[in-house]
Every structure is written in C-alpha cells, then in structure tokens.
Amino acid sequence: MKKILLLLLWVSSLWSISAEEIIKKSDAVRNVSGSFYQRCFITEYIHAKKRDTMLVSIYSKIEDNSGQYRTLVKMLEPKKDQNKLIMRDGDNLWFYDPNAKASIRISPQQRLLGQSSNGDVMSSNFALDYESTLLGEEEMIDGDKKSRNCYLLQLKANNSNVSYPLVDYWVDKESFYPVRSKFYTASKKLLKDVYYRKFKDVLGMIRPTEVLIFDGFDKSKATKMQFANVKNIEIPDFWFRRDYLPKFLGD
C-alpha cells in the first residue's frame, strides 16, 4: 500500500497543475459564486420510462468563515410534498414538514427522488470536502456523446458529513468542465454514475444545466436533474436557522 501511495504522489508531481487547482477550477464551473437562487426539476426513469417527478427551488449562500455553501430547498411539486423544506447549515441538515410542524435531523445520503439524494440538490464545494489525487489523463465520452480529453482524479472525503466517501472524477482538460463522476461507498461499492450535461451560459460562465444519475447497482434506474432560472439574489443569514423554517415562505 505504501509503495502504491508513493507512486501516486510521484505521478501527481509530474503534472504542471495540481489536483487541488483542478478541483477548484471545476467547482467554479459547477457553482455560482456568492448567493443565488435556482429551480431544479427532477425526473425519475426506470427502463427509460418516466416514473415520477419533483420540482424544488434552491437558495444557496457561501458561509464566510468556512467557504462552504449553506442551502435551503423548498419543495414545490408534487402537491403532497408542497412547502416541505430541507436546510443545510454547516454539518447540520434539517427536514421540515409544515403539516407536522416539526423539523428533524436527516442525512445527505437519504433519497429525495429516484437516484437523487438530499445532498445532490445541495450546492457543494469538492475542494473543501475532499482530498484529491490526480491519477492521469483519459479520453471520456461525456453525457452529450462528445469525446473529451480529461483529467482523472480520485477524491477521498476529509470529513464524515459529505454524501459520498469516495469519488472518481473526470474534468475536461481545457475548460475544467465537470464531465463524469462515480460515487462509491467507503468499501468501493459503486453507488451512482453521474454525467454532467447541457452546458450553457449561466450568469457569465458556461455551466452544466443538467445532471444524469444512473444507479450503481441497476443501470435501468436513472434520474435527471435539470437546473433553470438561476439568478444572484441577496439571502439573509437568518433563513438558515432551524427556528426560522416554519416562517419561511420563499417562492
């Protein structure tokens, strides 16, 4: 194991750019800086047939001290889930049900719809959540069926609060666009195979507007997340307090 680790460190030292730099540049593509709003339409498929849908609004804001995103998610559709909330502030993730008038602690790994989890709709900063190693370069067919020359990185969680302990991550060499991610358990069992798609100009930068998630155990199960209506807005800090959840209105 020590020899393999030394070899990886030696290989990484040959690159003109570090793994940390690549992740930071890719984070800047995936995430809008500052505070912002967006909507996410989630569609679950089984054997390529639509099974279920959900629409949520997402409010995200970078926390000054940690550099991590604080996120508030409001469910808009279906009607049975309307006005339910998920809020992340630091290591804490809360679910609020207005019908029960109660908030409970939840895990980012819990499923939201289909293959998408609570953590998947939360803005995340890979550079802060993971220790990264640059393994090499690899040609990869992206989610839009285009061939891309990519950096291949291995990410290992540096804290227990992230959604996935291990990640294989492909990043386009020229643009630093995220191309593909494979998310694993700590024992290296594949949980999800993710493609980033439909790159468009969003607030002055080309970003993925669609994420396609395949189940790691059953490829017939897939979930599509489509992001739209992205805009910079001012978000007050008190929105991310647990005691404010019953008062939140949003859109």
Side-chain angles (χ1 to χ4, degrees), residues 138-150 170-172 177-182 193-197 199 212 214:
E138 189 170 294
E139 286 291 325
M140 175 60 60
I141 303 299
D142 69 10
D144 295 320
K145 307 300 182 185
K146 297 178 182 177
S147 179
R148 293 184 181 273
N149 188 17
C150 296
W170 288 263
V171 176
D172 185 275
Y177 294 173
V179 174
R180 184 182 184 184
S181 298
K182 285 188 173 184
D193 192 359
V194 175
Y195 291 86
Y196 303 87
R197 309 174 60 198
F199 287 81
L212 190 59
F214 291 96

Side-chain angles (χ1 to χ4, degrees), residues 156-174:
K156 185 175 182 179
N158 57 25
N159 66 80
S160 59
N161 297 301
V162 299
S163 301
Y164 310 103
L166 295 171
V167 186
D168 289 336
Y169 189 37
W170 288 263
V171 176
D172 185 275
K173 277 192 66 180
E174 292 186 7

Side-chain angles (χ1 to χ4, degrees), residues 19-59:
E20 291 77 14
E21 289 176 292
I22 296 169
I23 298 298
K24 286 180 180 178
K25 287 177 180 291
S26 183
D27 276 347
V29 173
R30 288 191 308 109
N31 297 320
V32 176
S33 61
S35 60
F36 63 98
Y37 164 92
Q38 60 184 333
R39 283 193 171 192
C40 182
F41 189 72
I42 307 169
T43 308
E44 178 189 12
Y45 297 90
I46 296 182
H47 295 291
K49 293 182 178 180
K50 186 188 295 186
R51 181 184 185 186
D52 207 352
T53 62
M54 175 178 281
L55 176 64
V56 301
S57 58
I58 305 169
Y59 302 82

Side-chain angles (χ1 to χ4, degrees), residues 60-118:
S60 297
K61 182 178 184 178
I62 292 179
E63 205 276 326
D64 291 336
N65 293 328
S66 68
Q68 281 288 16
Y69 282 92
R70 305 158 86 186
T71 303
L72 181 60
V73 177
K74 182 178 181 180
M75 300 180 193
L76 305 177
E77 297 175 7
K79 190 173 182 179
K80 65 181 178 65
D81 293 319
Q82 212 168 59
N83 299 320
K84 292 177 181 178
L85 301 171
I86 302 172
M87 187 267 287
R88 168 180 272 167
D89 183 17
D91 296 337
N92 300 311
L93 194 66
W94 299 97
F95 170 76
Y96 175 75
D97 185 344
N99 295 317
K101 293 182 169 47
S103 57
I104 59 170
R105 190 86 176 263
I106 58 173
S107 163
Q109 291 88 3
Q110 287 177 238
R111 291 201 176 190
L112 183 63
L113 179 72
Q115 316 320 307
S116 64
S117 68
N118 295 326

Side-chain angles (χ1 to χ4, degrees), residues 235-248:
I235 300 176
D237 289 335
F238 63 79
W239 280 14
F240 302 101
R241 294 202 318 252
R242 182 188 179 190
D243 62 0
Y244 184 72
L245 293 176
K247 305 170 189 175
F248 181 77

